[in-house]
Structure formats: C-alpha cells, structure tokens
Amino acid sequence: MTSQVSRTAEQADEAVLGEQRKPTGEKDVRRLDRVIIRFAGDSGDGMQLTGDRFTSETASFGNDLSTLPNFPAEIRAPAGTLPGVSSFQLHFADHDILTPGDAPNVLVAMNPAALKANIADVPRGAEIIVNTDEFTKRALQKVGYATSPLEDGSLDGYSLHEVPLTTLTVEALKEFDLSRKEAERSKNMFALGLLSWMYHRPTEGTERFLRAKFAKKPEIAEANLAAFRAGWNFGETTEDFAVSYEVAPAATAFPPGLYRNISGNLALAYGLIAAARQADLPLFLGSYPITPASDILHELSRHKNFGVRTFQAEDEIAGIGAALGAAFGGSLGVTTTSGPGVALKSETIGLAVSLELPLLVIDIQRGGPSTGLPTKTEQADLLQAMFGRNGEAPVPVIAPRTPADCFQAALEAARIALTYRTPVFLLSDGYLANGSEPWRIPEADELPDLTVQFAQGPNHTLDDGTEVFWPYKRDPQTLARPWAIPGTPGLEHRIGGIEKEDGTGNISYSPANHDFMVRTRQAKIDGIDVPDLEVDDPHGASTLVLGWGSTYGPITAAVRRLRGAGEAIAQAHLRHLNPFPKNLGAVLKRYDKVVIPEMNLGQLATLIRAKYLVDAHSYNQVNGMPFKAEQLATALKEAIDG
C-alpha cells in the first residue's frame, strides 16, 4: 500500500514548525540528515504493513524516501525459519536520496531468524531492537544459534535494545476481549508506535488507516490503535530509549507541487490510465496473475469509471490474446506479466508484430530462469524482449529508472505503440515495482497528446480509378499502417499470422514480398523518434558508467560519492533500449572506458559491444537484490584507476 496523503514541499516545511507533538520530557532530541530503518520478522508478523505505514507517515511529513520490501516467495513459510523472514527497509532524509540505503542504522528484529538473516548488513554501532519474548531455546535452535546472541557478547558492538514486544502488547490489550494469540498479532503495531516516537513521525494517518482497515471489526481496530499508542508511550517513558531523533522535511529536494508516495506498480497503473485518457481510448488489460506484476491488475480493476476494463484470464496466452483482440477493436491493449509469462506470450507478440497493432507488453522482471525467484529482482529479460520470438520480429523496448518514473515510462510506451502501430515492451522489475518514493502529481496540461486518428475511408486509388482501403498502406513518416475499427463500412480487411502483401494485406507467399515486409517492419522500429541520450559529465571524465532500468539509483549514488571524493566520472542512463538513441554511438566513442552495471550477466553490454564495437566492461550481480551504492562506487573507482 502507499500513502494517500499529498502535500507540497512548502506545506511540509510549515508542518515541521507547527506540528503538535507529544511532549518528549527531558529526553535528548537529536537532529539527523538521514536514517535507514529495517523492519524484519516472520512473513506473518506484518513487517510489510509496518514498513508501509511508517513510509506513509514519512511521506506525509515531507521527507525524501526510498523503500525496499523483501519477502519470501512462499505464502506462509515455516514460522521462525530463515526462509520465512520478511523485511522492509526504508531510507528517509532531509535531502534528495536515490536508494533504500546500503546498511540499516536501525534493525527491528521480531525473532532470532530475523536477527540472523539481517545482522550481516548492520554496521557496528547501529541500533538493534529485538523482541526478547521470541528468543526461546527452541526458536534459537531452529536457526542454528547454539547460544543466545543476546547473552554471548556477539552483539556488544551494537546499541542493543531488548524489548519484550509480545508481552508488552498483550498487557496493553488485556482490556479487550481477545485471545492471547489474537493480541500477539498486534505486536507489529507496538513496534510501529515505538519507532514513530523515536523519529517523531505523525500518527494521525496511521490511526485513520487502522480504523478504515478494520471498519467491520471495530474491536480489532481499537486493539491495534491501543497497541500503536502503547508502543509510542513505551518509548516516551522507558529509560532504555534516552534519545529520539528528528529528520527534517526535504523541502529543497522537490520542485513545488502536489506530492504523494507511490510504488512502481501503482505508478504504472496510473500511467496506463493517463495514457488511455490522453489517447481518448478505452483501456483494456488482459492479464494472468504473476508475481511481481499482479498489483497492476489489482489496481486497474478499481478504475472502471475511467473506461478501464480488466480481464483475469485463465493463462498467460489467453491474457495477451484478449489484449491483442482489444487492440484490433480500437482499445489501448495492455498485458502485464513477468519473465516466465513473456515466454508463453511470445507467439502472440509475434502476431502483434505481423498485424502491426499497438499493444503494451509490461514485463515486471524477477529472478529466473523458470519459476526462479518470484519475489526477488533481476534485469535478465532484456535479450528475451529483444529477440525472444521466432522470425524477424522487432519490438521497441523501454525501461523506467525509478518507481515514480514508471508513470512517465507508461506514457512513453503508449506514445510509441500508438504512433508506430507496434507492440512495445516496458521492462520494469521487482525492485521498482514494490519500492516507493515521492511522486509529483503532474498537471493535466503537462501530459502528452496521444490522440489517435482511425481510418475513416478509402486510402488508395486503383489504376481503374476505384477507391479502396489498403490496410498496409503506410504513413511515409512513421511507416505505420492505418488503424481501422472493425465494422467500419468499406474498411474490411484480413488479419492473421500469415505474411501480408504490401499494401493490400492479402496473404502472400512471395519471397520478394516477405523480404520487403521484414525490412519494412525493421525500418519502422529503427526510425522511431526517441530523445538523444543525455550525459552527465561536469568534469570531462575519461570513464563513462552506462546504465538502464532500476540501476539508476545505485549508479547515481555511487557517482555522487566518487565525485565527492574528487574523482571525475561521467554518467548516462538509457530509457530506450530498442531503438537506441541516435547519438549513443558518438557518446560511447568520447570515452576511454565504458562500464555497464547490470543485474544480469551482461545483456546490455552484449548489445553495446555488438552494435558499436565498444569494449564495454560489465559489472554484474544476480543475487536477487539491487546494487549497493558503496559496492558500485568501489567497482567504478577500480575502473577509473585500472
């Protein structure tokens, strides 16, 4: 979930001065410029909800933020085991930030498994809050602890807070008619209240959320509210937490405007709705549920009032078949999936290439191959998007770079599909899909005009003077064929997968015609108008780091670190992967070294080497997690010095 609270930067700044806070007594309040918090526990402990609520309040307060949800693929992994650990990391600051952070300043561990699974990421000196009630002998043995880390000195280098979260929660809820098991479920709200006190987060939004979420179960709502308030009050009164912290709003990090917190999948859904409205077309989504793309289907199904129609198909092939049929009928057709689904959709994507109809294929990439790592992120579908079809079937490919950028990427994908009558791949990934950041809601007049002109009548005159409709007579500028709505009198034409004759669209087995059509379809994709690649190079560097997709945040953070240390390095980031920007070759030739970090084994690097004969250096990671800024900074420094 994401925050529904919107606020301008100026309003957020005023809130710092005017916010009514609960008194902090004599406790010290320290000001920080940024904090990284990780909530970790069993997948049933509500860590994603806890992190999301903390994020929502942080967004309403006006901080810049970036999140990294991380959860197991199993619906309910065995309780207390390492495979069952779910975590949510939030990085928030009083300035512009780009990543969820490399290492948490605060780890909230709800059980021994959560501590063991995450302790390697926590730097010495960081704060660790543990739920001591769960550190039983059996729970410790389940994850391989011979002795309790709370007692053997292994955590001496950290600021350890031992809190009996379960006991305190049950005690706070004893006035409610709840079983102990039911009361224990609210311990995540106790933890949220404690962390909200520690970092002076607003509370009103969470209280409204809980009342709305449990509106049909008011006693459960009140119990969660009581646990949340008990956590806040515990921080206020206990001697174990002598310090609380303030992180001011990032008032100077954002241009003026109306902002909200948004995830990548939600931004994509909104972008698709906006694209359909700007094109004055119905939006049709044909989809089969698959992690991590399903949230787009869930969200779009809520917006029938905007002319959105969603179809949850029986399988991936049916989903894209329905979407392509909707495109033939005059809708903005969309199908959403992940890598395994793309493999199943490949023949229908080839059919869309042959029919030359606009279709958006949205691939939220995840770890593979096969079922792979459903809840982890990866960038390994690029070559599949480029070449994963039989025959010569070129398809444009674009990729968003941040969660909020998914909105603009959806608009751009729609522009290309509608203008050039082609299926378009949009490559997001699990990191962008589930992560979130502040997004400035655009004004209506900032959105592009995507209006489509459908064919209305004959477009060709035969030698005998007869006027006819040729479905494959092309626009001389875009090479797009006309889009004729079925049932329009006089515009009847063939469709199907057999090769079309140039112009008439009749079935053709002519070798010369097939060669011509293959080359024409390729020329149409090659001729797509995409912006030139922008290069950030303030110091005249000799090394360029080139990225695509979700590596933007870690790469940019690493580049900032290097420049802050006096190094000269250039940065460029690709949105359009097919066709490449026309100036890309010239850009690459300006640099002695080109480094391409990717969450795969070098797929963009392969394309760059093949097309431009540049000895691009790959830096690769395929562990299901995004790059860390420090990791990339080290690798790029070695490239500069090497």
Side-chain angles (χ1 to χ4, degrees), residues 154-231:
S154 60
L155 300 179
D156 286 350
Y158 305 91
S159 177
L160 180 64
H161 302 279
E162 300 182 39
V163 182
L165 287 172
T166 306
T167 299
L168 290 171
T169 302
V170 172
E171 179 67 19
L173 302 186
K174 63 183 180 181
E175 64 183 87
F176 295 90
D177 186 21
L178 299 174
S179 67
R180 180 178 177 85
K181 186 175 182 180
E182 289 173 327
E184 287 178 0
R185 289 176 182 160
S186 296
K187 63 180 180 290
N188 64 324
M189 288 297 105
F190 189 100
L192 177 61
L194 173 58
L195 269 293
S196 297
W197 171 83
M198 282 182 67
Y199 292 98
H200 297 267
R201 299 296 90 184
T203 61
E204 294 81 3
T206 293
E207 294 191 0
R208 285 195 301 269
F209 168 82
L210 290 172
R211 288 196 174 95
K213 181 177 177 63
F214 299 106
K216 295 181 180 179
K217 299 179 179 179
E219 186 174 54
I220 298 297
E222 290 304 316
N224 277 281
L225 284 167
F228 176 68
R229 292 165 180 159

Side-chain angles (χ1 to χ4, degrees), residues 555-620:
I555 288 174
T556 306
V559 166
R560 287 182 180 178
R561 293 189 185 196
L562 290 172
R563 289 177 181 169
E567 300 288 347
I569 187 168
Q571 179 187 1
H573 207 79
L574 288 166
R575 160 164 287 177
H576 297 88
L577 297 155
N578 192 35
F580 285 130
K582 290 181 172 58
N583 70 330
L584 177 56
V587 167
L588 295 172
K589 290 178 181 177
R590 296 208 304 259
Y591 295 92
D592 297 333
K593 297 177 185 175
V594 177
V595 183
I596 304 179
E598 298 181 79
M599 292 188 293
N600 56 48
L601 294 182
Q603 297 190 15
L604 175 60
T606 296
L607 296 175
I608 293 294
R609 291 177 188 134
K611 185 173 180 64
Y612 299 105
L613 303 181
V614 170
D615 185 21
H617 300 274
S618 285
Y619 183 74
N620 309 117

Side-chain angles (χ1 to χ4, degrees), residues 257-276:
L258 192 64
Y259 284 81
R260 60 157 295 158
N261 184 46
I262 199 165
S263 68
N265 274 350
L266 185 60
L268 263 174
Y270 286 175
L272 293 171
I273 296 171

Side-chain angles (χ1 to χ4, degrees), residues 621-632:
Q621 172 177 295
V622 278
N623 62 6
M625 298 295 289
F627 284 112
K628 293 181 178 180
E630 184 62 32
Q631 166 194 4
L632 277 182

Side-chain angles (χ1 to χ4, degrees), residues 263-273 283-303 308-312 334-338 360-365 400 406 410 426-430 432-434:
S263 68
N265 274 350
L266 185 60
L268 263 174
Y270 286 175
L272 293 171
I273 296 171
L283 176 64
F284 180 90
L285 174 68
S287 183
Y288 179 75
I290 184 171
T291 302
S294 300
D295 288 341
I296 304 172
L297 170 62
H298 300 160
E299 183 61 32
L300 288 179
S301 68
R302 300 185 177 106
H303 296 287
V308 179
R309 296 295 178 265
T310 54
F311 170 54
Q312 180 175 318
V334 182
T335 190
T336 53
T337 189
S338 186
L360 302 186
V361 181
I362 296 177
D363 177 6
I364 313 298
Q365 300 167 96
C406 289
L426 189 154
L427 296 181
S428 179
D429 60 42
L432 296 184
N434 297 316

Side-chain angles (χ1 to χ4, degrees), residues 21-22 24 37 39 50-58 61 90 92 106 108 129 188-207 227-229 231-233 235-236 241 243-247:
R21 300 191 185 282
K22 297 179 181 180
T24 57
I37 298 174
F39 299 93
T50 304
D52 183 73
R53 289 314 314 160
F54 196 94
T55 299
S56 295
E57 298 297 0
T58 297
F61 188 66
L90 166 67
F92 62 101
V106 182
V108 180
I129 301 172
N188 64 324
M189 288 297 105
F190 189 100
L192 177 61
L194 173 58
L195 269 293
S196 297
W197 171 83
M198 282 182 67
Y199 292 98
H200 297 267
R201 299 296 90 184
T203 61
E204 294 81 3
T206 293
E207 294 191 0
F228 176 68
R229 292 165 180 159
W232 177 289
N233 293 330
E236 181 77 7
F241 292 89
V243 178
S244 64
Y245 305 93
E246 285 188 343
V247 181

Side-chain angles (χ1 to χ4, degrees), residues 512-529:
N513 178 78
H514 178 58
D515 184 272
F516 178 81
M517 293 295 278
V518 166
R519 295 179 187 276
T520 300
R521 288 189 289 261
Q522 184 66 58
K524 180 174 69 169
I525 304 306
D526 292 341
I528 290 174
D529 180 27

